[in-house]
């Protein structure tokens, strides 16, 4: 339908954002399939084949089998339960869950501060402090952690100097060094996805939720009549719609120089 002279239609920016996402997916999806999915599928298929030298691959001795998985549960030599392998597997799962929880407890408050509360200068300094240590070789970082957690390391010396402990604690022997090392190694893998997710949240929605909370009366819902509950729910819906419309208008008119005009 033609528009009157002097009128135009404007995109709010969502269409352009979707186009950029599609362009990125065209590159990301094939790379992910080639570098992540296919190698794992190859490993799964290989786990059902016997261990053979390369020259015997594809020959009559190369067939699908469950012997590898059977040897994981039962020891091939005497037929008893393979407690070593199963114990190592269970310990790996427990350690991975513990490291994930520990990293989340450390990274979430920091990521929330960087995304929602911190100033631009402070966020840059925190980013720099997080990234610069990882420029050092991983072996050197592992040895530095070993020096800190050793029986005569800096942490034990500080604990004994302040009187907290009378004897050094064997951090390396009781797996504390394992959890510290794994948490430090995967710290950035946890914090940056959290930061990106929190930073992309619309702050107007948070403000609208707080405004709706302030609008609520002191009486709980179960002490109100049905008519009063309907009125409260209608007020909440109208308030949220008003906040959404206002946020959309602010987003549309925020950057005049970056908006595109499409004339018909």
């Amino acid at each position: 339908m033609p528009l009157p002279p002097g009128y135009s239609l404007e995109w709010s920016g969502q269409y352009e954002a979707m186009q950029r996402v599609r362009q990125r997916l065209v590159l990301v999806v094939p790379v992910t399939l080639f570098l992540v999915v296919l190698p794992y599928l190859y490993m799964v298929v290989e786990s059902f084949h016997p261990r053979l030298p390369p020259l015997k691959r594809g020959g009559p001795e190369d067939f699908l089998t469950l012997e590898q998985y059977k040897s994981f549960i039962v020891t091939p030599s005497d037929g008893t339960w393979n407690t070593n392998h199963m114990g190592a597997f269970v310990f790996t799962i427990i350690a991975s869950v513990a490291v994930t929880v520990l990293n989340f407890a450390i990274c979430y408050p920091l990521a929330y501060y960087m995304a929602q509360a911190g100033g631009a200068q402070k966020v840059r300094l925190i980013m720099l402090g997080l990234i610069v240590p990882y420029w050092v070789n991983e072996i050197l970082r592992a040895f530095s952690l070993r020096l800190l957690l050793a029986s005569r390391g800096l942490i034990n010396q500080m604990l004994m100097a302040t009187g907290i402990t009378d004897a050094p604690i064997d951090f390396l022997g009781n797996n504390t060094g394992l959890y510290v090392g794994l948490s430090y190694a995967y710290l950035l893998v946890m914090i940056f996805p959290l930061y990106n997710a929190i930073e992309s949240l619309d702050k107007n929605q948070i403000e609208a939720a707080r405004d709706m909370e302030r609008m609520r009366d002191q009486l709980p819902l179960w002490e109100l009549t049905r008519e009063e509950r309907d009125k409260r729910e209608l007020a909440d819906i109208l308030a949220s719609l008003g906040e959404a419309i206002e946020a959309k208008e602010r987003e549309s008119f925020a950057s005049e120089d970056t908006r595109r005009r499409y004339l018909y």
Side-chain angles (χ1 to χ4, degrees):
M1 182 179 68
L3 296 176
Y7 287 85
S8 63
L9 294 177
E10 301 176 0
W11 295 99
S12 62
Q14 185 176 4
Y15 176 78
E16 289 86 350
M18 293 298 297
Q19 289 295 107
R20 289 194 295 268
V21 170
R22 291 192 185 97
Q23 293 174 0
R24 293 171 185 171
L25 288 178
V26 171
L27 176 63
V28 171
V29 171
V31 172
T32 303
L33 289 175
F34 182 74
L35 297 180
V36 179
V37 178
L38 292 181
Y40 278 107
L41 290 178
Y42 176 77
M43 291 173 62
V44 171
V45 174
E46 283 297 312
S47 67
F48 291 98
H49 287 269
R51 185 178 180 181
L52 297 173
L55 295 177
K56 293 185 178 182
R57 292 290 183 92
E61 300 180 12
D62 191 5
F63 53 87
L64 298 178
T65 178
L66 294 175
E67 288 299 323
Q68 285 84 341
Y69 292 95
K70 182 180 177 181
S71 63
F72 175 79
I73 301 174
V74 179
T75 305
S77 59
D78 53 7
T80 58
W81 293 104
N82 195 342
T83 56
N84 291 330
H85 288 177
M86 289 190 292
F89 177 75
V90 172
F91 178 76
T92 302
I93 299 298
I94 295 174
S96 61
V97 172
V99 170
T100 303
V101 173
L102 178 61
N103 272 8
F104 183 80
I106 295 172
C107 296
Y108 184 82
L110 186 59
Y112 183 86
Y113 175 80
M114 292 167 58
Q116 298 289 336
Q121 187 66 25
K122 292 182 179 179
V123 171
R124 293 192 194 98
L125 292 176
I126 294 174
M127 288 278 193
L128 192 63
L130 289 171
I131 296 174
V132 168
Y134 284 85
W135 292 351
V136 181
N137 187 276
E138 186 174 1
I139 298 177
L140 296 179
R141 286 189 278 115
F143 273 106
S144 63
L145 287 176
R146 181 180 178 86
L147 293 176
L148 290 174
L149 299 172
S151 299
R152 296 183 180 181
L154 180 61
I155 296 178
N156 272 316
Q157 290 181 4
M158 291 179 60
L159 292 176
M160 290 187 293
T162 55
I164 298 177
T165 58
D166 298 330
I169 302 174
D170 188 10
F171 292 114
L172 300 178
N174 58 15
N175 290 329
T176 303
L178 172 67
Y179 296 117
V180 172
L182 289 175
S183 298
Y184 181 66
Y186 295 101
L187 197 67
L188 296 184
V189 180
M190 173 70 75
I191 192 168
F192 282 118
L194 286 175
Y195 169 75
N196 291 330
I198 298 173
E199 198 271 338
S200 63
L201 294 177
D202 189 2
K203 295 183 180 180
N204 296 319
Q205 296 179 358
I206 301 176
E207 294 177 1
R210 291 172 179 171
D211 292 339
M212 292 174 61
E213 184 66 26
R214 285 193 293 266
M215 289 175 57
R216 293 186 180 275
D217 300 329
Q218 297 298 325
L219 290 176
L221 287 175
W222 58 82
E223 295 184 9
L224 300 177
T225 62
R226 181 177 182 81
E227 183 179 357
E228 292 173 338
R229 287 199 299 269
D230 293 340
K231 291 180 179 179
R232 176 180 292 183
E233 292 174 359
L234 179 60
D236 292 343
I237 294 173
L238 293 177
S240 61
L241 286 175
E243 289 288 341
I245 294 172
E246 184 181 356
K248 197 66 177 177
E249 291 178 351
R250 286 199 298 265
E251 179 184 354
S252 300
F253 296 98
S255 53
E256 184 70 26
D257 55 339
T258 58
R259 290 186 299 153
R260 289 185 177 180
R261 292 180 175 270
Y262 294 87
L263 300 177
Y264 292 88

